[in-house]
Amino acid sequence: MYKRQGKKSILRALVTLAFDCRRSEMFRDQVLYAMKIIDRGDLQPDEMIGSWAGELGQTQFLPVHYYNHAIDYDKDGRRDLIRSEPDIIASTASFIRSLDWKPGEPWLQEVRLPDSLPWDKAGLDIKQPRAEWSKLGVTYPDGRALPADAKPVSLLLPMGRLGPAFVAYANFDVYLKWNQSLNYGITAAYLATRIAGAPVMGRGNGQPTGLDMAGLKE
């Protein structure tokens, strides 16, 4: 569980990035927070190994987030987001909650789409009430209609109109505030729904065709 958290010295990486004129102010602050983490007794300098961009621990916290949101959940006297599973899980939950996460609400649900759907309505920047998506023929995978309510959701098609389809809620937007990688967010959301008992994701409405080499280059 503790592998692949990065191999870089966080302090060296942050000082280097602080010297880079593009985001020097941001990373100067991160250097100071890294030193505060050491001063508080959470980690020693030689333990602060992570990514080239200065993130620490299994859920990759920048030092400012580590300092402000890490929790000593196992009560051993230090906040260890590298080795302590209780600290890691509790601290990650604390940080996501600070971004306006709504406990008990969904973040990503798989749906089925009709062939007649107006595809220009897909995208995270377009939100419609679930009732509107239901009128357009969007259903759950088992054919049940979406609730006819005003809860705003977006239609997410990570592999295009023939691949798997999801409705994304406000909680999914919150998660993307933490990690802006859409693939990362979808993977984490799908794993969470499976842990909660959701069935295996379907293949969608067909077999998406990949790009050839010329298409990839374009």
Side-chain angles (χ1 to χ4, degrees), residues 184-196:
Y184 188 97
I186 293 171
T187 301
Y190 176 60
L191 175 61
T193 60
R194 292 282 288 139
I195 292 172

Side-chain angles (χ1 to χ4, degrees), residues 1-51:
M1 184 173 180
Y2 309 129
K3 297 180 180 179
R4 298 178 183 168
Q5 298 183 57
K7 299 179 179 180
K8 305 293 185 183
S9 164
I10 291 301
L11 293 174
R12 290 172 63 91
L14 291 173
V15 170
T16 300
L17 290 164
F19 184 74
D20 186 325
C21 63
R22 290 172 294 180
R23 292 183 289 175
S24 58
E25 183 176 352
M26 168 188 168
F27 284 106
R28 281 198 300 269
D29 288 343
Q30 299 301 329
V31 172
L32 295 176
Y33 275 103
M35 296 172 69
K36 289 182 178 181
I37 292 169
I38 296 168
D39 188 58
R40 190 166 64 180
D42 294 336
L43 297 173
Q44 295 300 311
D46 60 357
E47 295 178 296
M48 302 180 79
I49 303 299
S51 76

Side-chain angles (χ1 to χ4, degrees), residues 106-113 130 133 137-147 153-169 172 186 189-194 197-206:
W107 54 335
L108 203 65
Q109 291 178 327
E110 188 178 6
V111 292
R112 289 287 180 268
L113 309 176
R130 285 192 296 193
W133 292 113
V138 178
T139 68
Y140 290 121
D142 61 5
R144 289 180 297 121
L146 296 182
V153 295
S154 300
L155 181 62
L156 180 59
L157 306 177
M159 297 178 67
R161 66 182 181 85
L162 296 180
F166 305 90
V167 285
Y169 293 80
F172 188 75
I186 293 171
Y190 176 60
L191 175 61
T193 60
R194 292 282 288 139
V200 175
M201 180 178 66
R203 296 183 64 88
N205 291 343

Side-chain angles (χ1 to χ4, degrees), residues 11-160:
L11 293 174
R12 290 172 63 91
L14 291 173
V15 170
T16 300
L17 290 164
F19 184 74
D20 186 325
C21 63
R22 290 172 294 180
R23 292 183 289 175
S24 58
E25 183 176 352
M26 168 188 168
F27 284 106
R28 281 198 300 269
D29 288 343
Q30 299 301 329
V31 172
L32 295 176
Y33 275 103
M35 296 172 69
K36 289 182 178 181
I37 292 169
I38 296 168
D39 188 58
R40 190 166 64 180
D42 294 336
L43 297 173
Q44 295 300 311
D46 60 357
E47 295 178 296
M48 302 180 79
I49 303 299
S51 76
W52 65 270
E55 291 105 345
L56 276 165
Q58 293 195 36
T59 49
Q60 296 290 280
F61 275 29
L62 282 169
V64 62
H65 300 145
Y66 197 120
Y67 186 81
N68 289 329
H69 297 287
I71 295 173
D72 178 20
Y73 200 79
D74 61 10
K75 306 301 182 184
D76 68 350
R78 57 186 239 166
R79 302 158 185 85
D80 184 355
L81 304 192
I82 295 176
R83 290 169 294 269
S84 170
E85 293 179 19
D87 289 4
I88 292 162
I89 294 170
S91 301
T92 303
S94 171
F95 179 48
I96 293 178
R97 184 68 181 270
S98 76
L99 299 175
D100 203 27
W101 177 272
K102 298 296 189 299
E105 294 192 9
W107 54 335
L108 203 65
Q109 291 178 327
E110 188 178 6
V111 292
R112 289 287 180 268
L113 309 176
D115 293 335
S116 60
L117 189 81
W119 302 106
D120 59 348
K121 294 185 179 296
L124 290 178
D125 57 332
I126 300 173
K127 296 189 183 300
Q128 292 194 132
R130 285 192 296 193
E132 291 299 317
W133 292 113
S134 184
K135 289 178 183 178
L136 291 172
V138 178
T139 68
Y140 290 121
D142 61 5
R144 289 180 297 121
L146 296 182
D149 59 24
K151 186 177 288 294
V153 295
S154 300
L155 181 62
L156 180 59
L157 306 177
M159 297 178 67

